[in-house]
Amino acid sequence: SWGPCSAVTGCEVLKVKNQHDSKKLIKIKKSCYNKGFYQGVMEVGSQKGCLVKDAKAAVRAEMLAAGTAAVYWEPESLVVSRNGDECVVAFVDQWYLSYGEESWRDRVMGHVTATDSFSAFSDASLKQYVKTLNWLGTWACSRNFGLGTQLPWDEQFVIESLSDSTIYMSYYTIAHLLQGRDNVDGKKVGPSGLRPEDMTLEAWDYVYLGGAAQAGWSEATTRALDSFKHEFEYWYPMDLRVSGKDLVRNHLTMSLYNHAAVWQDRPELWPRGFFTNGHVMVDGAKMSKSKGNFVTLSDGLGTDNVRFDGTEWKSQSWSADSVRIALADAGDSNEDANFETETANMAILRLTTDLFFIDETRAAEAAGELRPADSPMTLMDRVFTARMNEYVLDGDVHFSNMQFKMALKSVFYEMKNARDQYVNYHKLAEERMHAGVLRRWIESSAVMMSPISSHMSEHVWMDLLGNETSVTKATWPSVVEVDPIVPVMFSYVTDTISNFRSSLAPPKSKKKKKAKTAAEAAPFVPPTQAYVYVETEYPAWRMELLAALKNIFEANGKSFPKTTIKELMPVVQASELLKAEGKMLLKVAAFIVAEVKDRGESALQAKMPFDELTVLEENKGYIGKMLELESIEFFHARDADAKVFEGAKAGTREAALPGAPTIVGYA
């Protein structure tokens, strides 16, 4: 508390030097006004002992009644009109809505804060709704000029724009029956056969509030109104409305209030979710006609968008789908979204490339250049399928949460990357691709991208794939069952290739001075052939070490403590097999602990969960091409018939471990 002389206390606390210390004085003023209103206590007058916020209305009424005060309004800060004039408050008749009324507010607050009834899609937005509900009080809801709906009980006024149209979403549910197409003024009779004058208050109550049918209604009128009621009950509640973040503090909160008022006894009809977003920038700058970066709807339809890049004016041309992709990529939060023109440009290229790929795939299948759709799947087919499963699930979650940027990453970029890797694999391995797997990619991509690149998806779905109904009626792609070991198997292949590449690389030159008499080292000759040795079992001492480390790992909540080696020592001392390995044992143990931290619990496995030789043989062509080898052969390390290159380092064959085969290359 700043006491009875809050201004003096504030100046002392903030050490104000003089009247020119404006920033501190402004801060003190705001604090005094805020604390004085919400925490201040009246010391004199009829409201002595009351909080100022409670006494204000009572003192105002007393002063007006005694004739010692007059009503006066002014803007809380400087307001300038669009033509540059400073605005003042006009003293005119006004109608107010009492949004702060306690019981009304509490009903809306309960709805907004219940996670099973309403979603704001972000904690920041939800906090804004709660803050607004606690702040919003009486609101001037009318004006005496301008566009708007006439106030029903006082037609000299129109409803101001933020207060108007707060439940108009309910009208969307029946507009197609009442108005039909291209009929906004009511001059034409719509499909229902009802005229504007037929929609009396009783008719609206019948449709929206379950009111009683009127005796004077014809059978046709009742039938039409019943169809209205059916449409309304089918489509409501409104599951989602998308708007700007600046409307949370007024229009959107008012919409919640008015739904709660009109359908007071039916909270199941109140809005289920409001998603808000920030403003839009273009290439990191605020949209401005003077900068030439003001993007209009016509730009999205393919007409020129002329902009200034800092050195010259440039003309860009986009399609509707490329603009939609760039908008989805711009951002999903309440922060300002950034529309990148380069993203729109690249989207055109990516969509065109996809069309070429789909045409080529269909032609290849027709020509028998792909494996049949019902043929067994290889490891790469299953890897591709597993990745599509991942992006199908991710896309569903992201779209449901209105995270279009994340959804685009999964269903567009990641799906394309997975496809390209699949295609590249088969080109290197010189193997045919699977027709069924490729068709699943095409179908899934078309459906998952339909909320964003809707025109492209519709073309692919109906014109290229030959479906008879629109992609908008297609169901979300299903997940195909894939063995969870498949990704592990493919990671094994890629890791093995990486390790082999290092083993076959030329030796690093040592920067030591050579003796004059030393013979020159032979030049490095890249290997063209290779032998690979696979070991499926660890030696007995290593198996015992793994078991001991696994016990420590599980006893410590599936993690290794800092005292792991200390805890291991009693086990080592009790085992003749482990003691025989000497100091090398502790190095191996430290290596295993590091591996677990790097790649998880699988590093403690005594053997791989698949047949390594089978996996390597299946991917032989791909591995050979990736290592630029003409031939490569795989052997079990303990196979007596395994081929051995005479010039190989001693122990290379014996060094193979489960999950870590060794390679010997030769020219």
Side-chain angles (χ1 to χ4, degrees), residues 3 35 85 93 96 113 119 147 193 244 283 319 378 422 439 447 487 542 547 565 568 577 595 641:
K35 290 179 180 292
D85 294 331
D93 289 337
Y96 290 87
T113 55
S119 175
L147 296 175
D283 293 333
S319 67
T378 64
Y422 180 78
R439 185 175 182 88
V447 173
R542 178 113 177 197
I565 300 301
L568 180 65
L577 199 60
E595 282 287 283
D641 297 326

Side-chain angles (χ1 to χ4, degrees), residues 93-112:
D93 289 337
Q94 180 60 276
W95 286 96
Y96 290 87
L97 283 170
S98 299
Y99 284 123
E101 195 276 321
E102 189 173 352
S103 62
W104 192 11
R105 180 200 61 207
D106 290 348
R107 291 200 305 274
V108 179
M109 183 73 79
H111 176 71
V112 167

